[in-house]
């Protein structure tokens, strides 16, 4: 099991609300729990529904897609250790403990696709 990122909202997210919101945001529901997004003619896993949305990203593209999904749901994207992922001026940032680190430009990451991180 990898590092988890969670889509967190003030009010609980119901599955019916999730199902209604994902298609206009460019996502699809595969089965009853997997959220996928398309790139390069294929679909790639972004998150799973387990009473909440949880993703285990293996690329910056998946982090960007999780952030896009969180935004579409009026939520925040948070890591296991409390860090918060956000989009500011077209750049994905992660803040933790008072420091902010830029991940990269959102559009460039989305265009690059789901290339896995190197070990």
């Amino acid at each position: 099991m990898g590092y988890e990122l969670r889509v967190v909202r003030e009010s609980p997210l119901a599955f019916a609300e999730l199902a209604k919101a994902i298609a206009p945001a460019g996502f699809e529901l595969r089965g009853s729990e997997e959220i996928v997004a398309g790139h390069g003619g294929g679909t790639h896993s972004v998150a799973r529904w387990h009473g909440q949305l949880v993703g285990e990203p293996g690329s910056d593209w998946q982090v960007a897609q999780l952030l896009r999904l969180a935004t579409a749901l009026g939520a925040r994207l948070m890591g296991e250790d409390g860090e918060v992922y956000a989009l500011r001026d077209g750049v994905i940032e992660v803040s933790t403990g008072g420091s902010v680190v830029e991940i990269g430009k959102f559009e460039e990451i989305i265009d690059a696709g789901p290339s896995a991180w190197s070990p």
Side-chain angles (χ1 to χ4, degrees):
M1 186 164 162
Y3 191 79
E4 291 184 343
L5 299 181
R6 295 179 186 90
V7 175
V8 179
R9 286 191 346 168
E10 294 289 325
S11 59
L13 179 64
F15 182 78
E17 185 179 0
L18 167 70
K20 182 179 176 183
I22 62 171
F27 297 96
E28 297 175 33
L29 184 61
R30 183 185 298 162
S32 62
E33 65 179 42
E34 187 177 19
I35 310 299
V36 298
H39 187 272
T43 57
H44 307 274
S45 182
V46 173
R48 292 198 172 276
W49 174 256
H50 297 287
Q52 68 176 348
L53 283 172
V54 177
E56 293 182 34
S59 69
D60 287 344
W61 182 86
Q62 287 172 308
V63 172
Q65 293 292 356
L66 280 163
L67 185 55
R68 190 165 66 100
L69 182 58
T71 301
L73 296 167
R76 293 179 298 153
L77 182 60
M78 299 188 67
E80 290 178 10
D81 298 326
E83 67 277 15
V84 177
Y85 293 75
L87 184 63
R88 186 171 58 172
D89 298 327
V91 176
I92 300 173
E93 300 178 335
V94 59
S95 60
T96 183
S99 64
V100 176
V101 176
E102 290 184 357
I103 293 176
K105 293 182 180 179
F106 180 83
E107 291 300 327
E108 290 176 4
I109 291 170
I110 291 294
D111 290 344
S115 300
W117 290 317
S118 298

